[in-house]
Amino acid sequence: MVMEMMIDAELRLGPPGCDVTVVQPARKKPASAAKRPSSVVRSEASGTDDHDDASPASKVQVVGWPPVRAYRKNAFHAAAEAASARTTAKKGEQGGGLYVKVSMDGAPYLRKVDLRTYDGYRELRDALDVLFGCFSSSSADGGGGGCQFAIAYEDKDGDLMLAGDVPWDMFICSCKKLRIMRGSEAR
Amino acid sequence: MGRGGSRASPAAAAPPWHALPDEVWEHAFSFLPADSDRGAAAASCRSWLRAERRSRRRLAVANCYAASPQDAVDRFPSVRAVEVKGKPHFADFGLVPPAWGAAAAPWVEAAADGWPLLEELSFKRMVVTDDCLEIIAASFRNFQVLRLVSCEGFSTAGLSAIASGCRNLRELDLQENEIEDCSIQWLNLFPESFTSLVTLNFSCLEGDVNITVLDRLVTRCHNLKTLKLNNAIPLDKLANLLRKAPQIVELGTGKFSADYHLDLFLKLESAFSGCKSLRRLSGAWDAVPEYLPAFYCVCEGLTSLNLSYATVRGPELIKFIGRCKNLQLLWVMDLIEDRGLAVVASSCNKLQELRVFPSAPFDAAEQVSLTERGLVDVSASCPMLESVLYFCRRMTNEALITIAKNRPNFTCFRLCILEPHTPDYITHQPLDVGFSAIVESCKGLRRLSVSGLLTDNVFKSIGAHADRLEMLSIAFAGNSDLGLHYILSGCKSLKKLEIRDCPFGDKPLLANAAKLETMRSLWMSSCSLTLGACRQLARKMPRLSVEVMNYSRGACPLDSLTDESPIETIYVYRTIAGPRSDTPACVQIV
């Protein structure tokens, strides 16, 4: 969660009225543990960089500005990364992912889950376990074995697939419906 | 003054008031809550000095280098509660070199020796080591309160010492510290017989905590009123803990996100509904909107809400805050936007303090619709609003004038426009007029931070009108020495001045040297100072410590530099302890 930065100690002071204190290096990952960084700096364009195709709206960042505490910055980075991870998952495909119906053989009604909120198959499995109680007889280390139920899904083409074969990100883009099937039927 | 508060002596004429025994004065002084009043009393005459210093129970040392620990122990032998602050405020933003100083050890050692009855210790922006914590645990039989704010240098090993050694601990309050995680289960070390905890705040701890142990601790500490968890405590465990501590008044949740499960939601909702005394809420990292309604049952009772780490946006956030009709304090991210603040304005009429933090401080592309409008709305509709910290991207003079007119009762006004030198976005004028309106209208203003495009004119107004101003923060403002001169020659009550990236030079500093001794400290970085001026200042004012910090590689000894050499940073403070001896290489005392 904490992104510590090592500051290269060379700062140049511009003439009075100049609004930028330039710091030389781009970000460096730290070697060791939790000292508060002396400053958090990202320089997206150094002063001497004259490439015309530099990323738009990027500028040299001023040390210690805006005045946001290092502690708060670190905490926010982690949250922003988590949030953007969710957003990129969301932006997967047109109409893919998001809320899908979940049916279980023998259950009187269906449920709906938001695939965006899970990070992987294990979490999906745990969530479905809470909703349906289908995996609670199996051991904590999931998969195969004496498990009675399997998670299957209907993809964009309408085919019934066994969940777990493709990477998670690909799965949530193509999954339209979930179906919890009895192990005997799944074979 | 002179209120003896004593009974008249029987029979014979009462002794003249100046011959009353010390105990009488000590009792009288106990009615003076403010240290400044006690200090003034102590300066009147020797007998009052004697009585006051011996009866002083609480001591606040606002600058750890202003006096030596031994001075403090000698002068106030009966102190029970001490607070010491170290690094300058700009250390929070990385402007102070890492090894600058502010070690707590000399204070802890002197206290262990001279104040064996010490009950409370509080350090802010200081380096506190595990050794310090071990000494604290071993030295004070009746130690009750440990508060560490923005400190560093210690680990969970030090916390273990506190847990196992402080039998009468009531408060362990760790706010925003850098704590190294040695994977020591320090919570286990509170003995089973230990039940006195009233406050437990470990929100800044990064590592895992044994939930079972925490649960048992919370269960047996029936007086627990404040519990602030860290990010490692998942949501479902929160519900269990709340069940064990329904008497809780202040809660910092742990991680407030989880996959949405109805049963977890119901569990949380039920747990919260049992907390009838809950008044202050914080934490809520990564808060997920679906779970916010679990809080609805406590909204009405909340007086303080800190959602400044909650990256929630949208209607759920606004709905939630809109239910909190009794809020006095609100800290949020700018994700609340103007429309959210409009709801705050109409719903939270008892609001006294508002802080709005930037969600994307470095990313101008990430546009959030938070403008001057939000602040104008809140200041128009919340009559008790007196303290504001507001990060935004645009402002107008007109908005500031309106705010000033609506809220003359501001005591703290800190506006940070994210892009330096930003003018009034409609008229393109500097924001001088707006900030001038603030200082002219808000006669009780004690703290001010200015930003945006500002000329020397705003400092003329501040110097002339801000009579009660104690702390002023300036960045990227002004156009000449005059700006600084206006401040230093005005601002009668100024205690702390911190300046960065302003075109202020030697002349106003030297011309107002005497002013600096009436202040606690001055910080100036990236201005236009030379070494010669620092030398002159140090010579002229022997009771000031003039620290010079240059970040050049391999700090040169100052002696080899000429008077004309530019100085990156100075930190000047009054002290009775002489120059300190613990400076790192990049800091030199002139």
Side-chain angles (χ1 to χ4, degrees):
Chain A
M1 163 171 158
V2 176
M3 265 178 27
E4 296 103 3
M5 306 283 190
M6 296 279 282
I7 181 178
D8 183 305
E10 180 146 30
L11 295 177
R12 264 185 286 122
L13 173 67
C18 168
D19 60 344
V20 159
T21 309
V22 178
V23 175
Q24 293 290 37
R27 68 179 99 183
K28 286 186 200 158
K29 293 277 187 247
S32 70
K35 289 295 176 204
R36 184 181 300 169
S38 61
S39 81
V40 176
V41 172
R42 293 199 306 254
S43 56
E44 270 130 89
S46 80
T48 57
D49 188 4
D50 54 3
H51 295 154
D52 285 324
D53 52 352
S55 45
S58 68
K59 10 169 357 128
V60 180
Q61 311 234 310
V62 180
V63 176
W65 188 267
V68 175
R69 304 176 84 186
Y71 182 80
R72 190 172 285 286
K73 273 191 288 212
N74 292 339
F76 184 70
H77 272 137
E81 277 160 17
S84 70
R86 272 197 220 124
T87 317
T88 46
K90 199 189 334 185
K91 285 193 209 141
E93 280 288 2
Q94 59 283 40
L98 308 180
Y99 279 98
V100 297
K101 287 187 192 168
V102 188
S103 60
M104 179 164 99
D105 302 340
Y109 45 79
L110 279 63
R111 302 296 295 268
K112 263 202 166 166
V113 293
D114 180 358
L115 293 178
R116 267 185 295 144
T117 61
Y118 308 119
D119 284 349
Y121 287 110
R122 173 173 297 278
E123 274 164 77
L124 174 64
R125 191 189 154 80
D126 290 344
L128 294 177
D129 190 27
V130 173
L131 286 175
F132 290 97
C134 45
F135 306 119
S136 46
S137 55
S138 62
S139 60
D141 286 336
C147 178
Q148 280 196 294
F149 295 91
I151 304 176
Y153 68 100
E154 195 180 300
D155 72 358
K156 279 189 302 218
D157 300 327
D159 297 327
L160 192 63
M161 318 278 290
L162 188 67
D165 289 331
V166 300
W168 176 256
D169 291 335
M170 199 184 295
F171 164 73
I172 60 176
C173 293
S174 51
C175 170
K176 304 297 270 176
K177 250 195 217 177
L178 282 170
R179 188 171 151 199
I180 302 176
M181 303 181 66
R182 290 190 190 286
S184 51
E185 284 178 41
R187 284 197 185 91
Chain B
M1 247 184 20
R3 258 190 320 214
S6 63
R7 314 156 200 95
S9 304
W17 63 266
H18 53 265
L20 286 170
D22 283 354
E23 293 74 29
V24 173
W25 295 121
E26 289 177 23
H27 182 67
F29 296 144
S30 68
F31 292 98
L32 296 173
D35 285 353
S36 50
D37 291 336
R38 292 190 69 116
S44 317
C45 63
R46 285 197 191 286
S47 65
W48 282 21
L49 171 63
R50 209 170 45 230
E52 196 283 313
R53 54 176 278 265
R54 286 207 306 234
S55 62
R56 182 83 80 104
R57 289 283 179 267
R58 308 195 70 89
L59 181 64
V61 180
N63 176 2
C64 63
Y65 290 120
S68 75
Q70 202 52 51
D71 285 340
V73 169
D74 291 343
R75 164 105 180 214
F76 301 108
S78 311
V79 149
R80 296 280 184 273
V82 178
E83 177 190 8
V84 187
K85 297 185 188 175
K87 301 186 196 179
H89 176 233
F90 275 179
D92 286 354
F93 317 128
L95 294 179
V96 174
W100 180 80
W107 288 91
V108 170
E109 283 154 14
D113 218 24
W115 291 320
L117 298 178
L118 193 68
E119 295 170 359
E120 291 185 28
L121 201 44
S122 176
F123 288 121
K124 182 169 183 178
R125 285 194 205 99
M126 294 187 70
V127 177
V128 178
T129 60
D130 285 342
D131 276 349
C132 290
L133 296 178
E134 280 163 33
I135 295 174
I136 291 170
S139 312
F140 309 112
R141 292 180 331 113
N142 197 25
F143 195 70
Q144 297 175 24
V145 173
L146 179 63
R147 188 171 305 117
L148 301 176
V149 181
S150 301
C151 294
E152 59 186 343
F154 62 104
S155 75
T156 45
L159 294 180
S160 308
I162 296 289
S164 55
C166 300
R167 295 298 146 106
N168 297 316
L169 196 69
R170 274 188 302 115
E171 294 185 27
L172 179 59
D173 190 0
L174 307 170
Q175 298 179 29
E176 304 200 345
N177 303 291
E178 294 267 337
I179 306 178
E180 199 169 317
D181 183 17
C182 297
S183 302
I184 292 178
Q185 292 301 330
W186 58 281
L187 269 185
N188 294 26
L189 290 163
F190 283 111
E192 281 302 315
S193 56
F194 173 80
T195 59
S196 50
L197 216 50
V198 174
T199 294
L200 178 61
N201 174 6
F202 60 93
S203 51
C204 57
L205 211 63
E206 286 186 2
D208 284 323
V209 148
N210 185 326
I211 309 272
T212 320
V213 171
L214 176 61
D215 195 279
R216 279 209 304 270
L217 183 63
V218 167
T219 307
R220 67 182 187 270
C221 293
H222 301 294
N223 289 325
L224 193 68
K225 296 284 191 299
T226 295
L227 179 62
K228 292 173 134 181
L229 308 172
N230 72 348
N231 212 2
I233 310 269
L235 214 47
D236 55 328
K237 304 299 181 201
L238 172 66
N240 298 342
L241 286 167
L242 284 178
R243 286 239 147 73
K244 305 291 172 63
Q247 77 282 3
I248 209 104
V249 173
E250 177 165 12
L251 175 69
T253 70
K255 198 171 183 57
F256 209 73
S257 79
D259 308 334
Y260 182 80
H261 299 307
L262 182 63
D263 33 347
L264 177 52
F265 177 92
L266 292 173
K267 195 174 163 193
L268 272 174
E269 196 183 34
S270 160
F272 274 115
S273 64
C275 298
K276 306 269 188 253
S277 306
L278 189 57
R279 297 285 169 269
R280 300 193 286 273
L281 193 58
S282 58
W285 290 283
D286 313 328
V288 162
E290 294 83 50
Y291 280 112
L292 282 183
F295 281 129
Y296 280 178
C297 48
V298 298
C299 285
E300 193 84 23
L302 286 183
T303 57
S304 166
L305 182 59
N306 179 356
L307 291 178
S308 61
Y309 291 99
T311 51
V312 192
R313 19 177 121 211
E316 289 87 3
L317 173 62
I318 297 176
K319 237 191 321 187
F320 175 71
I321 294 182
R323 286 167 167 254
C324 302
K325 308 249 184 262
N326 290 307
L327 274 190
Q328 294 169 15
L329 179 146
L330 176 63
W331 292 18
V332 277
M333 291 269 216
D334 59 3
L335 303 168
I336 192 176
E337 299 189 325
D338 287 341
R339 59 191 175 125
L341 287 178
V343 172
V344 171
S346 58
S347 312
C348 308
N349 300 116
K350 300 193 185 159
L351 198 65
Q352 295 173 19
E353 177 175 329
L354 174 69
R355 295 196 191 187
V356 180
F357 294 94
S359 55
F362 306 109
D363 191 355
E366 177 79 39
Q367 286 300 350
V368 153
S369 182
L370 180 93
T371 68
E372 78 281 8
R373 180 87 250 131
L375 187 55
V376 170
D377 284 345
V378 177
S379 61
S381 307
C382 299
M384 306 204 289
L385 186 68
E386 56 174 45
S387 174
V388 165
L389 169 62
Y390 200 77
F391 285 83
C392 61
R393 291 193 185 274
R394 64 179 213 198
M395 186 53 60
T396 62
N397 282 310
E398 189 183 340
L400 286 171
I401 291 169
T402 307
I403 291 167
K405 204 157 48 131
N406 283 327
R407 283 284 68 75
N409 49 324
F410 274 138
T411 54
C412 170
F413 188 77
R414 295 193 280 162
L415 179 66
C416 180
I417 302 170
L418 289 167
E419 188 66 35
H421 306 303
T422 303
D424 178 320
Y425 77 95
I426 294 180
T427 65
H428 305 294
Q429 293 300 302
L431 292 171
D432 296 342
V433 172
F435 278 107
S436 299
I438 295 280
V439 295
E440 281 166 39
S441 167
C442 305
K443 309 241 185 277
L445 197 67
R446 291 201 295 271
R447 185 164 179 186
L448 176 67
S449 298
V450 296
S451 58
L453 182 66
L454 294 167
T455 71
D456 292 340
N457 288 331
V458 72
F459 300 118
K460 193 169 181 195
S461 296
I462 296 175
H465 295 283
D467 287 341
R468 301 264 180 83
L469 194 67
E470 296 176 4
M471 183 167 175
L472 177 61
S473 308
I474 307 173
F476 304 104
N479 20 30
S480 77
D481 286 349
L482 265 185
L484 182 56
H485 179 69
Y486 286 137
I487 297 295
L488 290 178
S489 58
C491 293
K492 297 188 191 131
S493 310
L494 196 63
K495 289 200 185 125
K496 289 204 297 189
L497 179 59
E498 46 186 28
I499 301 173
R500 63 164 294 174
D501 293 277
C502 296
F504 300 148
D506 301 335
K507 293 207 201 67
L509 197 61
L510 293 172
N512 294 286
K515 170 80 170 180
L516 297 181
E517 216 179 86
T518 69
M519 291 165 52
R520 189 187 305 163
S521 66
L522 166 70
W523 169 282
M524 286 178 71
S525 58
S526 304
C527 297
S528 308
L529 297 172
T530 65
L531 184 54
C534 299
R535 284 172 171 149
Q536 262 190 284
L537 181 62
R539 262 198 312 268
K540 207 167 161 184
M541 310 290 302
R543 281 185 302 197
L544 291 180
S545 187
V546 180
E547 295 195 7
V548 156
M549 297 179 231
N550 265 353
Y551 299 114
S552 48
R553 270 191 210 284
C556 314
L558 284 186
D559 302 339
S560 62
L561 297 175
T562 64
D563 279 354
E564 290 71 39
S565 315
I567 291 295
E568 171 73 36
T569 301
I570 64 163
Y571 181 52
V572 180
Y573 51 89
R574 63 183 175 192
T575 177
I576 58 171
R580 63 186 175 112
S581 50
D582 60 349
T583 50
C586 57
V587 178
Q588 296 175 66
I589 300 185
V590 176

